[in-house]
Every structure is written in C-alpha cells, then in structure tokens.
Amino acid sequence: MPTTVRNRTRNHDDAPDTLDAFARLGTLEPGPAHDALRDDLVARWLPMARRLAGKYRNRGAETEDLYQVAAMGLVKAVDRYEVARGAFESYAIPTIDGELKRHFRDHLWAVHVPRRVQELRNKVRIARRDLQDVRPGEPTIGELADRCGIDERDVREGLEALESYRSLSLDVESRNDEGDGLALADRLGAAEPAFDTVVDREAVKPALRALPERECRILHMRFFQDMTQHQIATELGISQMHVSRLLSRTCSRIRSQALAGYRDAA
C-alpha cells in the first residue's frame, strides 16, 4: 500500500491544505455528501486556478474566458486526483495549464492552421523575441532558422502564422494621408460582376461563329431583338414549336462547346 507524505510547505496562499478532505472524498459513494465535498474542494482551490489563468492575460483571450477554462481544468483535476499521487497542486497545475493551452490552440485562431504550423509559430515567436533581446531590430530569416534549428521555409511559415492568430476588424478605422477615418471595410474592393460576363462571351464566340445562318438569326431575334417565339415563327414562316426546338438545341450545343473549352483550358 503506497504511503502518503503530508506536504505542509505551500508556495502560495491559494494552496490550501486539503489532503484530509481528498482522502475523505475517496471513501464516499456517489451522492449528496460526495458532491458537497467535491464542490467545497473546487471552491477552495479556485483562487489557484484563477492565478494560473492570469498568466495567460494579454494574449488575445478574454480574462473571464480564461477563468472559465481554468475552472474546468480544476474540476477535472479534482475528479481525477488520487491522494497517493502526492500533493494536489502537483497534479492540478499541469492539468489546468493543459486546458488553458488547449484553449489557445483550438479556439483562438482567427484563421485555423495545422498543429505543425502552430508549433512553428511558437518557435519563431520565441526565437525572434530572444534575438531582439540581444540586438534590437528585426532578425533575418537566416538568423531565425539558425536559432530554431529549422530551415528557412519553415521559418516563413511560422512568420505567416503569426498573422493568423488575430484578425483585424473590418470596422477598424483606416487613416490615409488626408486623415479621414473611414472603416477598413469601406476601402476593400469588390469583385467586378462584368468580368464573368466577359469570360462567358469569349467562351461562346467560337460556337456562335460556327452556327448555321438560320440558327444564328433566330438567336439574334430572340435575345437581341427580344422577339417572342411566335413572332420569330411568323417572320421565318415556320411553326412556333419548330422555333422552340431550334432554340433549345442551339443553346444546348453552344453551352456544351463552351464548357468543353473551359475544361480544355483547365
């Protein structure tokens, strides 16, 4: 049977002596008494969880969110802790820190990037900070690569990932030389819808040039002169049903040839 050593030395005021309470918790069956003691232990250790969360302030997360994540980590630690493991804080601190780090990794990226790139970002960020502590200014790609022990392509990926962690709001003011305070969204361009029209027109030109004269004339009367099928039939001396079949067949052939041209270009 493992022996338990009582550790009365506390590094922080928020580390209460709860060894006896945890030992008693382990003897209780699930029920009101167990839940009440569990809740009491969580409440007594909550200040420590908040202190650990405070180490992650000013990194892009809301402080209250960090407190919530740390509290969830504390609950997990209380539920999984065994007295034979030793002091509770030795088990709880890594558990809570792990939850906080997982929160940053999984929920706070504006643009989610693979885990490998996230790790590159952290290496590059730490290396850049260390190099700037020694020599002011922005280190070169080569210096960062040497410091991290990775190649320059990975350094560039890490630097790009630094910009993926936070996004810039479209409502932020964008100052120009005239000093106006327009929002960034007001300065963003938009896709020109006429570009697609130009592409479509160029795609159908070869098929239109290859049309027989009658089909070409029917298309012109229908889509450029806005004539009805009845009017076209009267003009050409054919039935309206014949005009309908010619229009459907001609448009299908032009569409097929244009799509084939797209596939060939791709």
Side-chain angles (χ1 to χ4, degrees), residues 158-174:
L159 289 172
E160 289 178 4
L162 285 172
E163 304 301 324
S164 301
Y165 193 69
R166 296 182 185 178
S167 60
L168 187 62
S169 171
L170 294 178
D171 294 327
V172 69
E173 289 189 358
S174 175

Side-chain angles (χ1 to χ4, degrees), residues 6 15 24 35 45 58 63 67 122 134 174 208 212 252 262:
R6 293 176 180 269
R24 188 166 69 256
D35 293 344
W45 283 97
N58 303 320
T63 302
Y67 288 159
N122 290 333
V134 176
S174 175
L208 290 174
S252 295
Y262 279 131

Side-chain angles (χ1 to χ4, degrees), residues 42-248:
V42 170
R44 293 175 68 181
W45 283 97
L46 194 58
M48 182 194 72
R50 293 174 67 89
R51 172 172 58 82
L52 294 175
K55 297 191 303 181
Y56 293 87
R57 284 196 298 261
N58 303 320
R59 297 192 188 182
E62 296 291 336
T63 302
E64 286 302 320
D65 290 342
L66 294 177
Y67 288 159
Q68 291 290 331
V69 173
M72 288 190 294
L74 173 61
V75 171
K76 290 182 180 180
V78 169
D79 288 341
R80 299 172 183 173
Y81 172 67
E82 298 173 0
V83 174
R85 294 176 182 268
F88 173 69
E89 58 267 38
S90 299
Y91 175 73
I93 290 174
T95 302
I96 295 170
D97 273 337
E99 288 295 317
L100 290 163
K101 291 175 180 177
R102 191 176 300 110
H103 178 68
F104 278 89
R105 185 189 70 206
D106 295 340
H107 301 291
L108 293 180
W109 288 80
V111 178
H112 193 73
V113 298
R115 178 72 176 274
R116 182 187 69 85
V117 180
Q118 293 183 29
E119 292 173 352
L120 289 175
R121 169 193 175 272
N122 290 333
K123 287 182 180 180
V124 171
R125 177 179 60 82
I126 294 171
R128 184 166 69 172
R129 182 193 62 197
D130 292 344
L131 289 172
Q132 288 176 333
D133 287 343
V134 176
R135 186 189 65 194
E138 192 66 30
T140 66
I141 298 293
E143 289 172 336
L144 289 171
D146 291 340
R147 182 77 177 187
C148 296
I150 57 179
D151 61 38
E152 294 187 1
R153 185 174 65 177
D154 287 340
V155 170
R156 291 187 176 91
E157 279 194 84
L159 289 172
E160 289 178 4
L162 285 172
E163 304 301 324
S164 301
Y165 193 69
R166 296 182 185 178
S167 60
L168 187 62
S169 171
L170 294 178
D171 294 327
V172 69
E173 289 189 358
S174 175
R175 299 281 180 180
N176 61 10
D177 294 338
E178 287 74 29
D180 62 8
L182 293 176
L184 180 60
D186 297 330
R187 298 184 172 278
L188 296 178
E192 173 54 62
F195 288 161
D196 290 337
T197 303
V198 172
V199 172
D200 291 340
R201 285 179 176 175
E202 292 300 313
V204 301
K205 276 184 178 180
L208 290 174
R209 292 193 187 102
L211 284 178
E213 181 179 351
R214 185 175 65 168
E215 280 82 345
C216 188
R217 184 180 177 191
I218 289 174
L219 289 179
H220 187 270
M221 287 189 290
R222 180 69 185 93
F223 296 108
F224 290 89
Q225 295 182 345
D226 202 25
M227 294 174 63
T228 66
Q229 293 184 12
H230 178 73
Q231 291 171 327
I232 296 171
T234 302
E235 178 75 18
L236 298 180
I238 58 178
S239 69
Q240 182 176 336
M241 183 65 69
H242 195 186
V243 171
S244 178
R245 285 197 298 266
L246 287 172
L247 279 170
S248 178

